[in-house]
Amino acid sequence: MYEVRIHSRGGQGGVTAARLLALAAIRDGKYATACPFYGAERRGAPVVSYVRIDDRPIRVYSQIRHPDLVLVLDPSVMDVVDVLSGMKPGGRVLMNAGEPREMKGFPTCAVDLTGIALRENLVVAGSPILNTPVLGALAKMGVITLESAKMAIQEMFSDMRNVAAAEAAYRELVA
Amino acid sequence: MLTVATGNKAVATAVKQACPSVVAAYPITPQTEIVEQIAEFVTSGELKSQYIPVESEHSAMAACIGASVTGVRTFTATSSHGLHYMHEMVNWAAGARLPIVMANVNRALGPGWNIWAEHTDAFQERDTGWLQVYVGSVQEAYDATLMAFRIAEHESVLLPVMVNLDGFLLSHSMHPLQTVEIGDFIPPIRLPHAIDTAHPMGYGTLTGPDQYFRLRWDIERSMRDSVGVIRETEREFAKRFGRRYDAVEEYRCEDAEVVVVAMGTLGKEAEVAVDLLREEGVPAGSMRIRWLRPFPRLDLSGRDVVAIDRDYSFGFGGVIARSLAATEGAKPFSVIAGLGGQEVTYDDIAGFVRSRRPGEEYWFGVMPDV
Amino acid sequence: MTDIPREEYILKCTSACAGCSDSLTLRYVLKAAGPETVLVVPACCTSVIQGIYPNTAMNIPVYNVAFAAAAACASGMSAAFQAAGRKTNVIVYAGDGGTVDIGIQALSGAFERGTDFLYICYDNEAYGNTGMQRSGATPAGARTTTTPGGKAQTKKDLDAIVAAHNPPYMATACASYPKDLFSKVQKALSIRGPKFIHVLSPCPPGWRYSSEKSVEMGKLAVRSGMWILYEREFGKVTINRPSKAAMIRPVPIEEYLEPQGRFKGISPEALAMLRSVAERNAERLKREEEGIC
């Protein structure tokens, strides 16, 4: 089972990113679940969502303690949350940033999702959309295929700029 | 068709396909998305129902009762405090023999305010004459909702059915969902006691002790008959759509010397614990109770039992543990876990099994580790 | 005015008290509504007067439902009839307790949603079915089993609450004026949406007067101005003729109070409260009728 933990802030689309990733994995022919952890969070508070991907039906509902991949949509949460908590040996990090940072030796990829969203004019209520471009980055990292990523995005959003943004993130991922 | 959906969306999708004439509901976390989705289906014309945005849950059930007695299909959904606010009418619906289907998203009761999963809300309604099913996946939430209409409306049942799904763990989790073409799986509703102005009757009039007693026995008789109707409906569902369900879902139980009995998502998580224990050489199995009412029989003979209750009856014990003691003569290790959405992992469940103490009660995370 | 039909929908075997004006009211309501009608009845005297299962004194379908649930139950019924394309009158027939107290939330919800139904509150100004405890509709000074010294507060202004929902039709009535009651029910049922009729329902055991005087008590209530007969159609108020007359030449309030044991020994303060409520209601309705407010 492949387990992904997504860190973001309320309102940044972490829950939708989790659902898109699960949908893309299902389009790859896998089983997947997306479980947002709902607390008493409000807009702007750090939030976490989980995605599990497996070749068999998934029967685990508890939170992910030992992720294979940590996705940080907003690096500022790292000031208040230990995003590397419980990382599996060999686990990887994907960050919304121009350049990868040192993350205690865990292989880290970076992509400027915010920049891509602004470039593609993907802005809703003043906030750049991060959850569709991130699927391109996840495809580049081999978590899902780019085909399924695009399929998932189109199933949930009609605006084709989301697909273009995902393709951009696929191209621009820095390992 | 293979799609993805949250538990709430899955329920709403099943309701759309069952096409009730009247839906009356009041929003409450974590059920809200069911109501919103149905309102959207009605607005878009995908669902041809009268949607009544009532001012309370008491009125939601009252409106379903008023609609149902005219002989049409009805649906509502609620959770926790909402279920308890409608408690009076929950009793009324069963007593009036109305095949209303309700989804209840299991959530803890205040105080303090807690929006997370717990089964006590629905367990406290277990003696009302409603059939109750608890699901373990988004797919099952969809399947059980479809089956609920057929079971409730069956001429030998004519009792309301409550479909229970764990708050957030299922209501807000997105899973694969295989939808089906229901065809004639749910036959047209025919309520023998529907209101007919050409044949006026009094409904729920003042009833003396002897007659009242007889009407109560009628409810119990139908409850007993529902066992066969449920089995027949689940077999028919499997035949048509390929997914198999039973009153109790057994996992690796054939040679099991110890079985974990649990409900809802904990019942699924227990299967993973069983795999873990088997790898260690512990001959474990699990039983997920799906139907709380009518309460099923479990084959526990000669086995150790670890009963996990995501509920509690104060001054009595875990309802599942106590029920197994009463119906099967079991002496379970009674684990109270997961109240108010407490995190319980398969590792924790495996731990309960390894350190079981038959006959004792253990509050996970509160009492010292076993 | 149409003649009142001879058909009876309430049969001669009710378990009502002698002199009960609730059953008299219901008789005219059903004559006006006709057989294509369902009555929704919450806990109230009417729950009892139908008789005991499996018998019923009612010749139309009656759905009995829990105390607080009548208006919501009727909402569901009305929606279901609409879904089935059936044109059946849905009438809630509820007492004052089930309307002004425990049932007011459901009433308000149903009116706000524009439910197509008629809500009739027959008001005997206390919880009659349980032996006369105070309700929000009990007037000041009235003794009930829970206000043995007389009620200290005034009667809740139910009509103003209902009027705030702007229903297309609302009216008051009293079975002492059967033709008026009959035509108001007919008019209400000819209009789509939520309609409301508030009926004063004198109660011999509760009000403690002798049971042959129910019709007379209703008339005294109107003639003294303690009960005003009026209609509000699409916002336009019409004060009906008996109350118009009473406004010009009222009988003294004392004539209405004196035969009623519940007002025996009423304090001057409570009497003043009754008088001022009656005057305030009359003034307000007159201004509304003249279009001043």
Side-chain angles (χ1 to χ4, degrees):
Chain A
M1 184 147 57
Y2 194 78
E3 298 184 301
V4 183
R5 193 168 67 203
I6 302 173
H7 293 276
S8 62
R9 289 184 182 274
Q12 285 178 334
V15 173
T16 307
R19 290 177 173 181
L20 277 166
L21 174 55
L23 177 55
I26 287 162
R27 292 299 172 233
D28 278 334
K30 306 242 174 96
Y31 290 91
T33 60
C35 315
F37 177 76
Y38 281 84
E41 311 94 346
R42 286 292 174 262
R43 191 158 286 261
V47 290
V48 61
S49 302
Y50 308 103
V51 179
R52 290 188 167 92
I53 303 171
D54 204 352
D55 296 324
R56 303 189 313 158
I58 295 162
R59 299 165 297 177
V60 182
Y61 291 87
S62 46
Q63 294 163 30
I64 292 173
R65 301 264 170 91
H66 305 294
D68 295 276
L69 173 68
V70 162
L71 164 59
V72 184
L73 281 180
D74 184 343
S76 78
V77 300
M78 294 194 296
D79 299 340
V80 280
V81 179
D82 176 15
V83 299
L84 296 178
S85 151
M87 276 289 265
K88 259 186 206 155
R92 294 184 292 170
V93 179
L94 169 60
M95 241 199 258
N96 174 20
E99 292 295 328
R101 301 188 199 180
E102 166 50 34
M103 296 293 281
K104 291 186 185 163
F106 289 104
T108 302
C109 300
V111 62
D112 181 12
L113 299 170
T114 309
I116 291 170
L118 294 173
R119 214 165 64 213
E120 294 289 338
N121 204 15
L122 273 174
V123 180
V124 170
S127 302
I129 303 294
L130 310 177
N131 48 31
T132 48
V134 77
L135 253 67
L138 289 163
K140 184 74 177 190
M141 291 178 78
V143 180
I144 44 174
T145 64
L146 185 60
E147 272 315 295
S148 298
K150 292 200 280 193
M151 212 186 293
I153 291 170
Q154 286 175 73
E155 278 183 51
M156 285 175 68
F157 300 97
S158 55
D159 189 337
M160 286 306 283
R161 286 177 299 181
N162 288 296
V163 175
E167 283 169 336
Y170 184 87
R171 285 191 306 269
E172 295 169 24
L173 183 83
V174 186
Chain B
M1 192 178 92
L2 179 65
T3 167
V4 292
T6 60
N8 281 342
K9 175 88 183 280
V11 168
T13 305
V15 170
K16 183 178 79 173
Q17 290 182 271
C19 197
S21 295
V22 175
V23 176
Y26 187 79
I28 179 170
T29 302
Q31 154 267 33
T32 319
E33 198 192 354
I34 298 178
V35 181
E36 291 174 339
Q37 191 65 61
I38 288 174
E40 206 172 302
F41 285 147
V42 170
T43 305
S44 68
E46 285 174 83
L47 174 58
K48 300 256 178 295
S49 290
Q50 296 284 324
Y51 169 68
I52 311 177
V54 281
E55 79 295 335
S56 78
E57 287 90 355
H58 193 276
S59 287
M61 188 51 69
C64 283
I65 287 166
S68 183
V69 75
T70 72
V72 303
R73 184 168 295 154
T74 57
F75 174 81
T76 187
T78 190
S79 178
S80 177
H81 288 260
L83 180 62
H84 286 259
Y85 196 57
M86 69 167 64
H87 171 71
E88 179 185 32
M89 305 318 291
V90 169
N91 279 279
W92 202 280
R97 308 303 305 264
L98 298 174
I100 296 163
V101 172
M102 168 160 66
N104 179 59
V105 183
N106 299 108
R107 166 189 151 180
L109 292 154
W113 282 122
N114 179 300
I115 55 172
W116 297 284
E118 187 178 318
H119 293 153
T120 310
D121 61 349
F123 272 37
Q124 287 186 5
E125 300 295 325
R126 68 186 180 274
D127 300 333
T128 53
W130 281 64
L131 280 65
Q132 287 198 7
V133 63
Y134 292 71
V135 304
S137 69
V138 167
Q139 182 68 58
E140 194 183 341
Y142 170 83
D143 295 345
T145 305
L146 287 178
M147 284 188 269
F149 286 101
R150 175 164 160 151
I151 293 164
E153 293 168 9
H154 192 283
E155 58 181 356
S156 312
V157 179
L158 293 174
L159 285 170
V161 177
M162 193 188 299
V163 178
N164 288 277
L165 57 154
D166 287 346
F168 293 104
L169 296 167
L170 286 177
S171 65
H172 287 64
S173 289
M174 196 172 247
H175 294 201
L177 174 68
Q178 189 81 50
T179 56
V180 300
E181 293 290 333
I182 59 165
D184 60 356
F185 178 71
I186 310 172
I189 185 168
R190 211 196 69 78
L191 187 71
H193 54 289
I195 281 182
D196 180 359
T197 46
H199 299 95
M201 291 194 290
Y203 294 80
T205 31
L206 203 61
T207 307
D210 291 348
Q211 296 286 0
Y212 182 85
F213 202 90
R214 213 177 283 274
L215 293 170
R216 293 284 119 174
W217 167 237
D218 277 347
I219 294 175
E220 174 55 17
R221 221 165 37 182
S222 298
M223 188 59 91
R224 293 179 191 184
D225 289 346
S226 76
V227 175
V229 174
I230 290 168
R231 193 182 304 128
E232 182 272 325
T233 302
E234 288 174 347
R235 280 191 189 151
E236 180 64 20
F237 191 88
K239 204 171 97 193
R240 291 195 190 204
F241 310 121
R243 286 187 294 277
R244 202 162 286 287
Y245 294 100
D246 267 306
V248 180
E249 185 181 70
E250 294 194 2
Y251 184 71
R252 301 182 84 167
C253 280
E254 305 77 35
D255 60 341
E257 289 168 21
V258 53
V259 291
V260 180
V261 181
M263 295 177 73
T265 52
L266 279 179
K268 292 305 264 186
E269 190 108 10
E271 294 181 7
V272 183
V274 164
D275 290 346
L276 206 67
L277 290 160
R278 288 268 174 177
E279 280 170 30
E280 294 170 10
V282 181
S286 71
M287 293 183 185
R288 182 168 64 90
I289 295 179
R290 295 184 63 251
W291 288 90
L292 182 74
R293 289 293 181 273
F295 195 74
R297 298 304 307 263
L298 282 76
D299 179 15
L300 302 174
S301 47
R303 294 158 160 174
D304 271 10
V305 177
V306 176
I308 306 177
D309 273 282
R310 186 169 224 145
D311 63 84
Y312 201 70
S313 173
F314 293 107
F316 183 59
V319 173
I320 292 300
R322 298 290 104 220
S323 300
L324 295 178
T327 58
E328 303 296 344
K331 239 182 106 186
F333 177 44
S334 166
V335 180
I336 313 303
L339 303 188
Q342 182 199 37
E343 172 83 349
V344 185
T345 68
Y346 52 86
D347 275 331
D348 298 326
I349 297 171
F352 304 152
V353 174
R354 286 188 207 105
S355 51
R356 62 189 180 275
R357 296 189 306 252
E360 289 188 29
E361 183 178 294
Y362 169 65
W363 285 61
F364 173 55
V366 176
M367 293 178 178
D369 281 353
V370 278
Chain C
M1 180 168 298
T2 38
D3 285 334
I4 295 178
R6 304 186 74 84
E7 286 82 8
E8 298 290 353
Y9 301 99
I10 173 162
L11 308 175
K12 290 174 184 168
C13 53
T14 72
S15 17
C17 303
C20 175
S21 58
D22 161 16
S23 40
L24 193 59
T25 301
L26 192 51
R27 185 174 173 223
Y28 292 111
V29 167
L30 295 179
K31 280 172 179 281
E36 195 52 38
T37 298
V38 180
L39 213 58
V40 177
V41 178
C44 60
C45 290
T46 307
S47 322
V48 180
I49 71 167
Q50 295 161 50
I52 294 181
Y53 176 87
N55 301 312
T56 174
M58 311 296 290
N59 207 12
I60 56 147
V62 178
Y63 197 76
N64 291 283
V65 76
F67 211 175
C73 179
S75 290
M77 209 173 267
S78 172
F81 284 140
Q82 207 172 316
R86 278 164 68 179
K87 297 216 180 311
T88 303
N89 298 316
V90 177
I91 301 179
V92 170
Y93 192 71
D96 49 295
T99 304
V100 307
D101 293 337
I102 195 169
I104 199 153
Q105 175 178 315
L107 170 73
S108 176
F111 273 66
E112 182 271 331
R113 290 189 299 271
T115 306
D116 185 24
F117 78 137
L118 168 60
Y119 192 111
I120 296 175
C121 171
Y122 67 98
D123 183 357
N124 70 344
E125 305 191 316
Y127 291 91
N129 198 19
T130 45
M132 291 323 264
Q133 295 78 37
R134 102 195 259 287
S135 81
T138 303
R143 291 173 194 272
T144 67
T145 56
T146 51
T147 54
K151 192 185 171 199
Q153 301 82 14
T154 54
K155 184 180 175 81
K156 190 189 275 191
D157 194 347
L158 173 63
D159 296 351
I161 295 169
V162 173
H165 294 77
N166 291 310
Y169 182 81
M170 62 181 287
T172 56
C174 178
S176 305
Y177 301 85
K179 283 190 173 175
D180 178 70
L181 169 64
F182 178 87
S183 64
K184 282 172 175 169
V185 172
Q186 277 205 327
K187 191 187 282 184
L189 290 174
S190 72
I191 296 169
R192 271 190 71 86
K195 290 84 60 179
F196 177 77
I197 301 178
H198 191 180
V199 185
L200 183 71
S201 192
C203 169
W207 295 11
R208 291 179 240 161
Y209 62 84
S210 56
S211 52
E212 75 279 7
K213 285 192 173 160
S214 279
V215 172
E216 190 184 329
M217 288 312 304
K219 289 197 165 162
L220 279 170
V222 171
R223 286 175 186 159
S224 64
M226 288 291 285
W227 189 252
I228 303 171
L229 297 174
Y230 71 95
E231 291 167 279
R232 186 182 278 112
E233 293 170 75
F234 300 98
K236 192 187 171 332
V237 168
T238 308
I239 298 169
N240 303 123
R241 204 175 298 161
S243 285
K244 275 264 170 66
M247 282 171 181
I248 297 162
R249 197 174 301 150
V251 305
I253 284 179
E254 289 79 357
E255 272 188 43
Y256 170 60
L257 304 183
E258 197 275 327
Q260 301 183 45
R262 63 174 177 159
F263 289 117
K264 197 168 176 222
I266 187 171
S267 68
E269 295 79 20
L271 187 61
M273 280 161 82
L274 286 178
R275 207 183 293 281
S276 86
V277 168
E279 283 167 3
R280 188 193 66 200
N281 288 345
E283 282 309 311
R284 193 174 60 195
L285 285 166
K286 273 194 271 187
R287 280 203 309 274
E288 273 196 68
E289 189 181 40
E290 288 161 17
I292 295 171
C293 69

